[in-house]
Amino acid sequence: MSILEQHDNMMETPLYKQSSNKWKAAFLLYDHGGDMQADELALSLYPEKEDSKALNNCKTYYNRLHQDGWVEKDKTTTPLTVRLNEVGFDHVEERYEQWKQRQETNIKVERRRREYDNLVEEFEDRLDELGIIDRQEQRILNGQDYFELDFQQILTHNYDLANKLLDETEGTLEAAELAIDQASSLENVPPLRLVNVTDTAHKEISELRASDINTLVRTDAIVNITGQVQPELVCATFECPRCQTPQQVNQNEQKLVKPRKCGECGWKGSFNRIDDTRRDLLEVKVKELFDEIDTPAETLLCEFRGGLANMKPLKKPGTRVRITGYLQSELLTENGSKTTKERTYLVGLDVERLDENHTNITVDEDDEERIRRIADDDPVEWLKDEAFGTIIGRNTIKEALLLQ
C-alpha cells in the first residue's frame, strides 16, 4: 500500500513534520501525484511566507533534488513544473517504509514495557497475598542465601503467571526480582530458587532444541564434572575523570564493558573503574541418565549463581540429580570473531538429589547379554571411559579413583 493510499494529506503525517525541507519537497511532490508547478510547491512548503520569498527558498530544495537525480524540471510551463521521477518515487517510498518500521518497533517496545510493568505488579500482588515475601525475608535474615518461589503455589493462584514462567522464563524471573526488590525490605535480593516445577517442563538432555531456549526445563542427570566456585563480575562502576560522575555498567558479556560517553559532561575518553559488584558462579557439566548401557550419553553445561552455587548435590561427581533451570545460548567465537553458531547452557534455578534406589531394577535377557559383552571386553576400561571420558591421559589416577 502506497503512502497516498494510507494518508489523505502528507503534510499531516509525523514523517513529514519531522523531515528536512528537501525531504518535505519530495513528499509534497509524491502527495500530488509526482508533479507540481514551482509556485504551488513553494506555497505548500512555506505557507506563511510571501510568494517571492517562498519561491526563492523552495528553489534551493528542488534544485538539490534535481542534482540528486530525483526530479526533472519542465521549463515549457510558466512557472516551471517540478516532476518526481522513478528514482524519486523509490526514495520516498523507501524512506516511508523505514519510518513505518521504526514506528512499529516503538509500538512493540512500548507494548513490552507495559506488559513487563503489569507482570511486576502481578507478582507484587501474588507474593503479598500469599505471604511469601514475609516468610522468605525472615529465612534470608536467618542465613538462607536464596529467595524460594514455589511453582505449584503460583500455578494454583495465577495460571497465566505460571505459563509465563514456563515460556518466557528469563524476563518473567527479572520481573519477579524487581517485584521482590520493590515490596521487600531486603537490601539486596538473593538469587531466586524455583521449586516444585510441573512435570510438563521435564525433558531429557538429548531432547533439547533451539525452540527450548529461554524456556523452563527440568532434567534428570548425573553430575559429571564440577568446577570450583569462582567470582563473576556483575556490575562495574566507572568514574568520569573530568566531572567525577559515577556510572554503573552491567556486565553481561565475556569481556569487560566500559562506558562510551559520560552522560553528564560528554567525556569520551577512558574512565576510572572505582567499584565492582560480584557474585559466586559454579559451572557444572552433567550427563544424561540413560537406560541403554551402550548408548552414548549427552552432556549439558549448567551455571549456578549466587547462593545456588553452594547447593550440596552439585559438589560430588557421580551424584544423580534433578536440575531445574532455563536454557540460554551464546555465540561461539572463531579466531577472535563471533560466528553464527551458538552453544547452549542451563541457568540453574534448583537442584535436588535423586534417590539411589536399585531394588526395583530388572535385568532382561538383552540387558544380560550387553553386560556379558562388556565383561568379556574390559569392564574397567569401559567404566573409565564412562566416568572420565572427557579427561585425556592420567590412566593410573583414573583407575585408582574408579577402584577406591
Side-chain angles (χ1 to χ4, degrees), residues 54-280:
L55 193 57
N56 285 334
N57 288 341
C58 180
K59 186 176 180 180
T60 301
Y61 299 109
Y62 69 64
N63 279 337
R64 286 184 187 175
L65 292 173
H66 183 260
Q67 290 170 2
D68 292 339
W70 295 15
V71 301
E72 311 294 339
K73 292 190 287 188
D74 182 0
K75 297 182 179 179
T76 61
T77 61
T78 304
L80 67 84
T81 299
V82 183
R83 186 169 292 111
L84 197 65
N85 59 26
E86 186 176 347
V87 174
F89 271 96
D90 289 343
H91 277 287
V92 170
E93 295 198 340
E94 182 182 1
R95 176 89 165 195
Y96 174 75
E97 287 301 323
Q98 291 172 350
W99 174 80
K100 188 172 71 170
Q101 288 174 10
R102 288 197 300 272
Q103 295 296 104
E104 290 171 352
T105 300
N106 291 338
I107 291 170
K108 288 178 182 177
V109 169
E110 179 60 24
R111 187 189 301 126
R112 289 194 193 111
R113 187 192 64 78
R114 288 198 301 268
E115 289 175 354
Y116 185 81
D117 290 345
N118 292 337
L119 201 58
V120 172
E121 187 177 342
E122 187 62 37
F123 262 116
E124 281 192 56
D125 292 342
R126 294 287 79 76
L127 295 176
D128 181 59
E129 176 188 331
L130 299 171
I132 293 173
I133 289 181
D134 290 339
R135 287 198 302 273
Q136 290 298 312
E137 264 189 11
Q138 190 57 48
R139 292 176 183 176
I140 290 166
L141 292 173
N142 291 334
Q144 179 176 288
D145 50 5
Y146 54 81
F147 191 105
E148 185 174 288
L149 291 177
D150 190 317
F151 183 87
Q152 293 298 329
Q153 199 173 22
I154 295 171
L155 179 62
T156 302
H157 291 84
N158 193 313
Y159 181 80
D160 291 336
L161 205 55
N163 267 339
K164 282 276 188 183
L165 274 170
L166 283 172
D167 299 333
E168 302 170 22
T169 311
E170 184 178 22
T172 309
L173 288 174
E174 287 177 358
E177 287 178 347
L178 182 57
I180 294 166
D181 185 51
Q182 293 177 172
S184 74
S185 59
L186 296 169
E187 185 176 346
N188 294 302
V189 178
L192 300 185
R193 181 179 185 182
L194 189 62
V195 301
N196 292 330
V197 172
T198 179
D199 290 342
T200 57
H202 188 88
K203 281 201 171 185
E204 302 299 335
I205 294 175
S206 58
E207 296 173 343
L208 297 176
R209 297 293 182 267
S211 58
D212 296 311
I213 291 173
N214 196 29
T215 65
L216 196 61
V217 173
R218 190 188 74 186
T219 190
D220 295 342
I222 300 174
V223 176
N224 190 24
I225 301 173
T226 182
Q228 293 183 331
V229 177
Q230 301 283 352
E232 179 187 38
L233 184 62
V234 178
C235 182
T237 303
F238 296 86
E239 183 183 73
C240 174
R242 178 188 288 172
C243 66
Q244 284 73 54
T245 300
Q247 185 173 342
Q248 290 187 337
V249 182
N250 292 328
Q251 302 296 320
N252 301 315
E253 304 291 334
Q254 292 182 339
K255 294 182 179 180
L256 180 68
V257 180
K258 302 177 181 179
R260 295 182 178 179
K261 181 180 178 180
C262 177
E264 191 68 26
C265 70
W267 172 262
K268 291 185 178 180
S270 60
F271 288 76
N272 302 321
R273 186 167 151 199
I274 59 173
D275 194 22
D276 295 326
T277 302
R278 295 181 176 87
R279 64 183 171 191
D280 290 335

Side-chain angles (χ1 to χ4, degrees), residues 306-342:
L308 302 182
N310 301 317
M311 292 192 285
K312 289 184 178 179
L314 300 170
K315 303 299 182 181
K316 186 177 179 182
T319 307
R320 294 161 58 92
V321 292
R322 173 165 290 165
I323 292 177
T324 300
Y326 59 93
L327 205 63
Q328 279 285 54
S329 67
E330 65 181 13
L331 292 174
L332 295 173
T333 57
E334 247 178 51
N335 300 322
S337 301
K338 290 186 177 180
T339 68
T340 56
K341 296 179 182 178
E342 296 181 316

